[in-house]
Amino acid sequence: MKLVTCLYDGLARVGMLSTFGTLENPKPCVVFLPYPDMNALIKDIDADWKGSRWDSLKEYFYHEANAVPLEEVTRLAPIPQPCQDVICLGMNYRDHAEEAARYNAEAFAKERPAAVYFSKRVFRAGNPDGVIPRYKGLVTRLDYEAELAVIIGKTARNVKAADVKDYIFGYTVLNDVSARNLQTEHKQWYFGKSLDGFTPMGPCIITADDSLISFPPALEISCRVNGQERQKSNTSLLIHSIPEIIEELSAGITLLPGTIIATGTPAGVGMGMDPPEFLQYGDVVECTIEHIGTLRSTVG
């Protein structure tokens, strides 16, 4: 099941993607759901995780009366305003850790085998087909990072790795946009990754129970800039797996429904190229994850 947040008739609405019509003439649609936003949907499902409420939600897939043609809506980030900062993992693909250390060993060298966690403040998540702000005068080295984001579905505390699957609501695509000059000058990552507009997300959430998604997910992940492939990998190559991440975090942090965890990016970011190639005005960045879709953003 794929869930979206979209703008229709001047209002932000939550819905699921469906198809009506005939085999010869299928019509992609959005079926609206009775929730004010995605956070409310996830919290409601938390009260009856994978029970009758979840089953009744899936039944909306067949409600053609509540459907609107996909072409008539404007996609927003699936969770436009996350309830908390996004939790991120740094250098969670081995090839990216190596390229980051080559770029700036002092800022990015990773000597310990432990996971690197940081948070990313999100005033409002960027929309699919939205704009990444350039911040002239503040940001001189603008970079992209295609990532698989995990969305927690029910309150997680002291969860063991073997049980993590039951706590995941779904997955989406996240671009961890980064100001490399701020990241290196300040010798910490929070500011350089948290500027307004630096968290494009979408185009949808694919729920964890979708038949297309295994656990842990083994999905092709890639990024193109102006049509040129820059990143290409698979989420099965994470150094620290999703079960490991959630077991470790939940041992001391309560993860609430709707919590977003960005699992890291593979090699191929702008700072890793020789010479580095950072984003410029008008560049189009396309982050794609198999079965979820493409998150497209334009630098402006």
Side-chain angles (χ1 to χ4, degrees), residues 86-153:
V86 174
I87 300 173
C88 303
L89 275 88
M91 298 176 290
N92 201 25
Y93 289 80
R94 199 169 306 282
D95 54 1
H96 175 57
E98 292 169 355
E99 71 176 359
R102 286 195 302 270
Y103 176 73
N104 189 316
E106 181 182 3
F108 296 104
K110 183 175 184 290
E111 298 176 356
R112 295 178 302 151
V116 175
Y117 297 109
F118 62 95
S119 65
K120 186 178 179 81
R121 189 167 185 82
V122 185
F123 171 69
R124 188 173 181 86
N127 299 331
D129 295 308
V131 173
I132 297 171
R134 187 65 184 83
Y135 290 105
K136 184 178 180 180
L138 177 64
V139 178
T140 59
R141 288 174 275 159
L142 184 66
D143 213 345
Y144 53 87
E145 295 188 7
E147 306 202 12
L148 174 71
V150 179
I151 300 160
I152 298 297

Side-chain angles (χ1 to χ4, degrees), residues 34-48:
Y35 293 95
D37 56 48
M38 196 68 72
N39 282 323
L41 185 159
I42 296 171
K43 289 177 182 176
D44 185 53
I45 295 301
D46 174 41
D48 185 31

Side-chain angles (χ1 to χ4, degrees), residues 7 18 31 36 49 61 66 88 94 96 105 120 122 131 156 173 175 205 210 219 231 240 253-254 261 264 270 275 289:
L7 193 64
S18 187
V31 179
W49 183 245
F61 185 83
N66 296 328
C88 303
R94 199 169 306 282
H96 175 57
K120 186 178 179 81
V122 185
V131 173
V173 185
N175 185 351
I205 294 171
D210 193 291
L219 304 171
Q231 295 180 283
H240 303 285
I253 300 174
T254 299
I261 302 172
I289 298 182

Side-chain angles (χ1 to χ4, degrees), residues 130-136 142 198 279-284 297-300:
V131 173
I132 297 171
R134 187 65 184 83
Y135 290 105
K136 184 178 180 180
L142 184 66
F198 272 24
L279 297 173
Q280 307 297 327
Y281 283 107
D283 283 351
V284 177
S297 307
T298 303
V299 179

Side-chain angles (χ1 to χ4, degrees), residues 1-4 15-21 26-33 58-64 66-71 75:
M1 181 165 60
K2 292 184 175 182
L3 301 174
V4 296
M16 64 173 62
L17 298 181
S18 187
T19 303
F20 296 101
K27 297 179 180 179
C29 296
V30 176
V31 179
F32 293 132
L33 302 172
K58 291 191 288 186
E59 289 178 5
Y60 276 86
F61 185 83
Y62 305 102
H63 290 193
E64 188 170 1
N66 296 328
V68 170
L70 188 58
E71 62 190 26
R75 297 274 192 104

Side-chain angles (χ1 to χ4, degrees), residues 71-85:
E71 62 190 26
E72 294 183 14
V73 306
T74 300
R75 297 274 192 104
L76 305 178
I79 304 179
Q81 292 183 290
C83 55
Q84 297 176 311
D85 286 3

